[in-house]
Amino acid sequence: MSTRDKIIDAAMTIVRDAGVGKLTLDKAATVAGISKGGVLYHFRSKDDLIRGMVQRLTDQCDQINQSYYAQEPEGPYRWARTLVRACFDPNGPANDPVGGALLAAVTLNPLLMEPIHAMYAKWRERLSSDSPDIVRAGLVCTAMDGLYFQRLMGIHRGDQGDARRLMEFALTLLSPSNPGAAP
Amino acid sequence: MSTRDKIIDAAMTIVRDAGVGKLTLDKAATVAGISKGGVLYHFRSKDDLIRGMVQRLTDQCDQINQSYYAQEPEGPYRWARTLVRACFDPNGPANDPVGGALLAAVTLNPLLMEPIHAMYAKWRERLSSDSPDIVRAGLVCTAMDGLYFQRLMGIHRGDQGDARRLMEFALTLLSPSNPGAAP
DNA sequence: GGTTCTGTACCGGCTGGACGGTATAGCCAA
DNA sequence: TTGGCTATACCGTCCAGCCGGTACAGAACC
C-alpha cells in the first residue's frame, strides 16, 4: 500500500475515532507512521488532503455501485435497487470510515464538496433513466442516504436484523409488483 | 430576546454561512454584538456553547413535533405522519440554521451528540408505539432524515414541487390503505 | 436618603499552546 | 549522484480560556 493511501487511511481513522476537529497534519502523520513533512510532500495542504479523502470516497462509491449494477437483474428501478444493495454492503463505503471525508469537507471548506455534488448529480441522472416513478425511487434512495448519515453521525438504529428487514422492504417498494405511476 | 439566545443565534448563523470551521468565540461575540468576555460569561467554554446550540435544536424539534402531532388525525402511523409533516414545515428546524448545531457537535466533540441520541431514542419509541409496521415507518422516517442531512450539507435535490410530491408519497405509504404487516 | 455591600452582566487585553505551512537537511535506491 | 521520499526545526497566526476590571442595580444597614 502506498504511503499516500496510508495517509488517507490515517486521516479517515482519526475522523471516525476522534471527530473532524481532531484531524491535524501532525496527527495524520503520526497515525500513518511518518512525519508531517512526509504528509506535506504527498499533499500540498490540508485542503489537498481532504480532496484526496473525498476522491477516495467517490471512487469507492463508483466502484461498488458499478459492481452491484452488474449483478442486479434488468428491469425498472435497476439503479435504485443497486443503490439500496450497495448501501447494505458490509464492506462498502456505507460501513467504512471513508465517510468521514464528507464531514471533513463540509466542515473545513464547503468548496471541497464539489465532487460530492457531482456524484449526486450523476446518481439522480441514473435514477431518472430507469425509474418509472422517480418520486418513489427518490424516497427510497433518500432513505438510504438517511441511513448512511445516521451511521456517519453515530446514530445507530437497530441491529443487523433491522437493517436486513429495512433493505428487504426498500426492495419491495421497488419490485415489479409496485411499478408506481407511469412516466 | 436574552443575550444568551442572541449568542446562540449568532453561532448558528456563522455555522450556516461560513461553516463550522469558522465558528470561534470571538466571531460569535462580534456577530452577537458583545465581547468575547461576554460570551464566556454566558457559556463557560466553547463546548458549553455547542451544548446550548444542541439544546436549542432538540427543543425546537420537540416543540414542532408536539404541535404537528396535535393536528394529525388519530390512527396508525400518527407519529410517523407527524415526523413527515414536520420535516416539510418551512419554519421548522429542518429549514433552519439551527441544524448547524448538529454539525458543530459532531465536529468538535462527539460527546456533545448525546442529547441527539436521546432524541432519536424517544422518536423510535414513539414510532414503535403506533406503527403497525415499524419497518415501513422506519424507512419513511429515515428518508426524512436523509432529506434533512442533504439540506444540511448543501446537497439539494430538486425544487419545492419535488419536495411536495415526496411528502405526499411518504404520507401515502403511511395511509390507512397501506397498513402493512400487523404487529 | 445616603452609604456600603453584593451579585449580575459585560469588557478587552493577555498568554500559552496548537496548528498550517516553509525551509532545509538527510537517507537510500536506481 | 541524482531524484524521490522523509525527518527536523522553525515561523507566523489563530484561538480558547483566563483574569483584572467596569458599570450598574438592588439590598441592607445606619
Side-chain angles (χ1 to χ4, degrees), chain A residues 10-156:
Chain A
M12 302 286 194
T13 307
I14 293 166
V15 170
R16 183 198 50 192
D17 293 347
V20 190
K22 294 284 158 54
L23 174 60
T24 68
L25 296 179
D26 246 324
K27 200 162 235 162
T30 307
V31 174
I34 63 169
S35 74
K36 196 168 84 167
V39 170
L40 279 162
Y41 174 79
H42 291 280
F43 301 95
R44 286 192 306 197
S45 68
K46 192 173 178 179
D47 272 11
D48 207 32
L49 172 58
I50 312 282
R51 256 188 290 273
M53 294 165 74
V54 170
Q55 179 159 18
R56 163 88 69 94
L57 172 64
T58 54
D59 285 355
Q60 209 162 324
C61 287
D62 261 0
Q63 192 191 329
I64 202 134
N65 282 341
Q66 290 293 350
S67 134
Y68 272 98
Y69 186 74
Q71 294 168 44
E72 199 63 23
E74 286 186 33
Y77 298 119
R78 184 175 176 187
W79 272 116
R81 283 179 277 126
T82 299
L83 291 180
V84 171
R85 296 258 187 218
C87 188
F88 289 95
D89 184 321
N91 300 319
N95 292 292
D96 234 45
V98 81
L102 226 162
L103 284 177
V106 85
T107 298
L108 296 175
N109 186 352
L111 292 179
L112 301 175
M113 288 287 285
E114 204 279 320
I116 306 285
H117 294 151
M119 186 173 67
Y120 266 88
K122 195 159 65 182
W123 286 354
R124 252 172 280 154
E125 206 175 306
R126 284 172 174 171
L127 274 186
S128 306
S129 75
D130 71 354
S131 295
D133 180 354
I134 188 63
V135 175
R136 173 180 293 261
L139 183 119
V140 172
C141 291
T142 304
M144 297 305 107
D145 265 13
L147 209 65
Y148 180 68
F149 288 124
Q150 282 174 12
R151 287 198 272 233
L152 207 64
M153 304 234 176
I155 307 169
H156 272 296

Side-chain angles (χ1 to χ4, degrees), chain B residues 8-113:
Chain B
I8 294 185
D9 274 2
M12 301 286 195
T13 308
I14 292 166
V15 170
R16 183 198 51 192
D17 293 347
V20 190
K22 293 286 157 50
L23 175 61
T24 67
L25 296 180
D26 244 326
K27 198 162 236 163
T30 306
V31 173
I34 62 170
S35 75
K36 194 166 78 166
V39 170
L40 279 164
Y41 174 78
H42 289 280
F43 300 95
R44 286 193 306 198
S45 66
K46 192 172 178 179
D47 273 10
D48 207 33
L49 172 58
I50 312 282
R51 257 188 289 273
M53 294 167 74
V54 169
Q55 179 160 16
R56 164 87 67 93
L57 172 64
T58 54
D59 285 355
Q60 209 163 322
C61 286
D62 262 359
Q63 191 192 329
I64 202 135
N65 283 341
Q66 291 292 352
S67 134
Y68 272 99
Y69 185 74
Q71 293 169 44
E72 199 63 24
E74 286 187 33
Y77 298 119
R78 185 175 175 188
W79 271 116
R81 283 178 276 125
T82 299
L83 291 181
V84 171
R85 296 259 187 216
C87 187
F88 288 95
D89 185 321
N91 300 319
N95 292 292
D96 234 45
V98 81
L102 226 162
L103 283 178
V106 85
T107 297
L108 296 175
N109 186 352
L111 291 178
L112 302 175
M113 288 287 285

